[in-house]
Amino acid sequence: MAPIRNAAVIFAEVPTGYPEAGKHLKYVQDRTIDLDTVDVQDGIVTKNLVVSIDPYMRGRMRDADKKSYSFEFTLNEPLQNFFVGKIVKSGNTNFPVGQYVYGMGVYEEYTVHPKASTDHLRLLSEAQLKAGLQLTTWVGAAGMPGQTAYHGFYDIGEPKKGDTIFITGASGAVGQIVGQLAKREGLTVIGSAGSDDKVKWLKEELNFDHAFNYKTADVKAELAKFKPLNIYFDNVGGDQLEAALDAADNHARFIECGMISQYNERDAHGIRNLFLVVAKRIKLQGFIVFDKFSDPEFFEGFYSKIPKWIVSGELKIKEDVTKGLEKAPEAIIGIFRGNNFGKAVIQIAEDN
């Protein structure tokens, strides 16, 4: 077999504000792979089927000398994120050809995974594949974003029946799961989103007790309609974090998952009422779900519940699937402008 195309999305330049397609993120087609001759040794080659888009990727678009909790993207190399792929060549008996894997992958059509990286890949079992979930869901509600929601809500939020929770970015990959977990636990659930369509979905499909468009509503006035907040799940930061601090009850728990409103700003928004953390004895805790990846009990708890609830319809999910790797740069940029409705995913190829 002759070499075949291995197109990719390349990290071409470090952005200072919003990244731009064709400048900072480039789709390139002049790459090839020869599946007959490529040396996998004890590794594998995957045909990549779906790859996730997540807000934390913006933090990886940085200079190498700036340290953070995740590795920076390498200039002139493909982007990386969680993926599902099908094994098309293997030198590892633990990963047979034809099986599907989930884990950290690459924004390209085919990837050679050395043995060291296979230690961080998870085979999708036959039972999991037959359960009825789409492959896109394994990088969404049944993958890292779902794990983020599950860990943040239960381990940091410490929910109690009757609590009131406010979730920003509530229609996104994490927020939609948090809201439904909160409803299961008997909480009053308030959510904000960036369009009327998203707000309607939160109210009518996910049964949020209240939801509003933060772009057109007075956030403080909306929160004042309910009793003080016991839990705040923050995906946005900025003005909404300030409003939540004003609306918080004593001993509230603030789950700091993300602050997407600040990721592309050159001058960060200062929080002007942080003293309320002291006055109200608020627990304000940031977290990174990757810290749980070495905890088998966490994965056992997550995988024994969340996929099953999705299949049964107890958890409803909304995905925003973009078909074609060539469209990935625009789709990635779109999540920072709120263009996506639900979990953003790239479908690289059909599963044949």
Side-chain angles (χ1 to χ4, degrees), residues 209-283:
D209 295 284
H210 185 55
F212 59 89
N213 184 340
Y214 72 89
K215 294 179 180 178
T216 57
D218 182 330
V219 178
K220 291 185 179 181
E222 295 296 329
L223 296 179
K225 296 176 182 177
F226 294 83
K227 70 177 187 179
L229 302 176
N230 306 107
I231 304 175
Y232 172 52
F233 200 106
D234 191 8
N235 293 299
V236 173
D239 291 334
Q240 295 193 75
L241 172 54
E242 284 193 359
L245 285 165
D246 281 339
D249 201 359
N250 290 338
H251 306 289
R253 285 86 70 197
F254 275 45
I255 308 163
E256 295 303 318
C257 177
M259 296 189 181
I260 196 169
S261 69
Q262 305 302 301
Y263 293 168
N264 296 289
E265 298 298 325
R266 298 184 184 184
D267 297 314
H269 181 293
I271 304 301
R272 294 163 292 189
N273 56 350
L274 269 179
F275 180 71
L276 292 174
V277 174
V278 179
K280 296 183 177 184
R281 286 84 83 199
I282 291 170
K283 180 178 84 170

Side-chain angles (χ1 to χ4, degrees), residues 65-126:
D65 59 350
K66 294 182 179 179
K67 303 305 177 185
S68 185
Y69 65 87
S70 59
F71 289 111
E72 69 280 356
F73 290 132
T74 302
L75 282 170
N76 301 313
E77 293 293 334
L79 303 178
Q80 301 169 330
N81 204 11
F82 292 92
F83 87 117
V84 172
K86 191 172 187 176
I87 301 171
V88 294
K89 189 170 185 176
S90 178
N92 189 323
T93 56
N94 294 322
F95 292 89
V97 169
Q99 296 294 299
Y100 296 80
V101 291
Y102 161 77
M104 186 59 67
V106 182
Y107 267 71
E108 61 185 358
E109 292 175 299
Y110 294 88
T111 299
V112 179
H113 304 264
K115 183 179 186 305
S117 69
T118 63
D119 294 339
H120 303 287
L121 297 178
R122 177 184 293 268
L123 279 174
L124 294 179
S125 68
E126 187 173 345

